[in-house]
Amino acid sequence: MLSRADLEAREAQTLAPYATLSQWSRGREYPEAESATRTAFQKDRDRVLHTTAFRRLEAKTQVFLNASGDHYRTRLTHTLEVQQVARSVALNLGLNETLAETVALAHDLGHPPFGHAGERVLNGLMAGHGGFDHNSQARRIVSVLEQPKAEYPGLNLTLDTLDGLNKHDRAGLGPPSLEAQLVDAADALAYTAHDLDDGLRSGLLSHAQLLELPLWAELSSRTGVAGAVLSEGQRRTLHRELLGWLIGDLTAASDAAIVGSGIGSAAAVQTLPARLITYSPHLRALLRDTGVFLKENLYRHWRVEMQVEQGSRVLTTLFHALMQHPSMLPPQFRERTEAEELARVVCDYLAGMTDRYALDMHASIAPPAQHAPHF
Ligand code: MG
């Protein structure tokens, strides 16, 4: 049987010199004994996986409202796709697969219901109360809100995992670990590929329209899939080939950047002026155009906008109702209003909701003519 010390030794022997090793973890805010059988990052991963916030990702919107179809990505399946990409690339680059996996599993824990629309609305409602964004909320969930143990608030994750969740407030910190950089790239890679796929599946995007996009035109010629209308099998082929192309390019370009940088340790990554996990210049340009295309043609499609409006109205109504009648807050949230501003507690409650829970609560306090649109 392998002990934690054996697993740590195996990491040191098999991973690249610039990988983040669990034996050199920067420790936890509340010191605790490490496991006899799991590395520090394994423990982090297991703690993230067993949170209620993780289970709720299942019924939260990615792009398409959770209730609108059984085959679209949800926040949970998106998270699992990010995890898959991050683990694959981590293995090929000799990075710490477990740390990458942990950050991937936790990266969207702070997403409110109704996707980015929900985030925008909550940020607006919280203007004057510190605002709202899903990255800070993810850190708040793992550091404060989830409380599996009485000894400390939050999950007491390693500082390495927490730093991996610190995507934007990095003033003076330098780039994050290569594992954290990889999860950021895997996030964008996964949503680009699956939003194109869900866009086609839903009929909101057409193959003919996509062929005007340079990335798609190149993908189409790489795979030999032509013609204005796609079969189900061709759509799957394109999605699979796109994933393989992006992952292959990201791995090769990142490897070249790491080798070119000459770094020989994980600590050296933080002293560099820029990130090392990157695409080739050619794919970077194609992906930039693709982001603009998706924004204009999918995220702002009128049928998506209908769902955005519905989610916005639901959250706005619930926010004001709870601010006026805090007695509707469940006991564990009401207790917290003694120590924290009511608006923040209401925001935490709303942000934690699944789409379904928010729609149900809205239906139970608002006039009954509401229903989810069927797309
Ligand atoms: Mg994400």
Side-chain angles (χ1 to χ4, degrees):
M1 187 187 128
L2 297 176
S3 67
R4 171 168 55 88
D6 296 327
L7 296 173
E8 288 174 350
R10 190 153 76 178
E11 278 186 0
Q13 281 160 13
T14 58
L15 298 186
Y18 35 79
T20 307
L21 299 189
S22 52
Q23 64 178 327
W24 295 339
S25 155
R26 284 148 52 204
R28 303 174 191 276
E29 187 180 354
Y30 304 92
E32 63 177 52
E34 289 301 328
S35 159
T37 52
R38 293 175 298 162
T39 65
F41 299 150
Q42 279 180 279
K43 205 156 89 171
D44 281 2
R45 177 198 58 199
D46 300 348
R47 287 181 178 183
V48 167
L49 197 77
H50 291 286
T51 57
T52 49
F54 186 79
R55 289 192 290 282
R56 290 199 199 115
L57 295 174
E58 175 252 335
K60 290 191 175 195
T61 289
Q62 179 65 26
V63 171
F64 295 88
L65 202 64
N66 189 244
S68 61
D70 287 345
H71 299 123
Y72 301 127
R73 272 71 175 187
T74 65
R75 199 53 70 179
L76 178 64
T77 62
H78 160 71
T79 294
L80 296 175
E81 291 187 29
V82 174
Q83 176 215 32
Q84 181 267 311
V85 172
R87 287 182 64 182
S88 290
V89 180
L91 267 176
N92 287 123
L93 293 180
L95 299 178
N96 195 315
E97 185 187 356
T98 313
L99 177 59
E101 178 180 22
T102 306
V103 176
L105 291 175
H107 89 283
D108 267 354
L109 286 181
H111 253 292
F114 312 119
H116 286 286
E119 183 173 30
R120 274 197 305 276
V121 171
L122 280 183
N123 189 35
L125 291 165
M126 289 298 286
H129 304 282
F132 176 88
D133 80 87
H134 79 268
N135 288 306
S136 313
Q137 190 68 9
R139 296 203 301 282
R140 187 168 161 76
I141 286 169
V142 300
S143 305
V144 180
L145 297 179
E146 289 280 342
Q147 193 146 13
K149 292 191 177 183
E151 296 96 296
Y152 45 72
L155 306 178
N156 201 27
L157 301 177
T158 62
L159 300 182
D160 314 79
T161 296
L162 290 175
D163 189 54
L165 296 176
N166 187 4
K167 221 170 152 178
H168 301 302
D169 313 325
R170 304 204 60 83
L173 284 178
S177 66
L178 291 175
E179 288 83 358
Q181 293 182 32
L182 172 56
V183 173
D184 287 347
D187 183 22
L189 189 157
Y191 70 65
T192 300
H194 67 52
D195 288 351
L196 288 165
D197 189 52
D198 279 350
L200 279 170
R201 184 192 283 274
S202 63
L204 268 54
L205 299 177
S206 70
H207 182 53
Q209 176 190 16
L210 277 167
L211 285 171
E212 291 166 22
L213 180 67
L215 176 94
W216 202 261
E218 191 170 329
L219 177 68
S220 171
S221 69
R222 286 169 77 100
T223 52
V225 173
V229 180
L230 291 179
S231 69
E232 174 84 6
Q234 285 174 319
R235 185 178 54 71
R236 286 193 186 152
T237 300
L238 287 167
H239 178 63
R240 192 175 58 241
E241 291 293 324
L242 177 59
L243 274 178
W245 179 24
L246 296 181
I247 292 173
D249 185 282
L250 181 71
T251 309
S254 300
D255 187 47
I258 292 168
V259 171
S261 74
I263 55 162
S265 71
V269 174
Q270 265 112 82
T271 66
L272 297 173
R275 294 180 172 226
L276 293 173
I277 301 295
T278 185
Y279 290 98
S280 64
H282 175 59
L283 254 183
R284 269 208 299 280
L286 291 180
L287 287 168
R288 214 174 298 129
D289 291 347
T290 305
V292 174
F293 176 92
L294 281 171
K295 201 175 233 177
E296 285 171 359
N297 296 288
L298 183 64
Y299 307 146
R300 292 190 188 146
H301 192 286
W302 68 272
R303 280 165 60 189
V304 174
E305 290 286 6
M306 293 268 290
Q307 301 183 350
V308 165
E309 180 63 16
Q310 184 190 26
S312 304
R313 284 174 185 241
V314 166
L315 284 178
T316 303
T317 302
L318 293 181
F319 183 85
H320 293 305
L322 288 161
M323 289 296 283
Q324 273 176 351
H325 305 287
S327 53
M328 292 195 297
L329 285 168
Q332 68 273 29
F333 285 92
R334 255 177 104 178
E335 275 166 27
R336 294 203 14 248
T337 61
E338 288 160 25
E340 287 194 86
E341 209 186 352
L342 176 62
R344 180 56 60 191
V345 175
V346 168
C347 178
D348 285 339
Y349 181 39
L350 292 176
M353 289 180 182
T354 60
D355 295 6
R356 182 173 56 220
Y357 189 95
L359 289 167
D360 285 353
M361 181 169 173
H362 184 260
S364 69
I365 65 166
Q370 306 289 333
H371 64 278
H374 297 286
F375 25 74

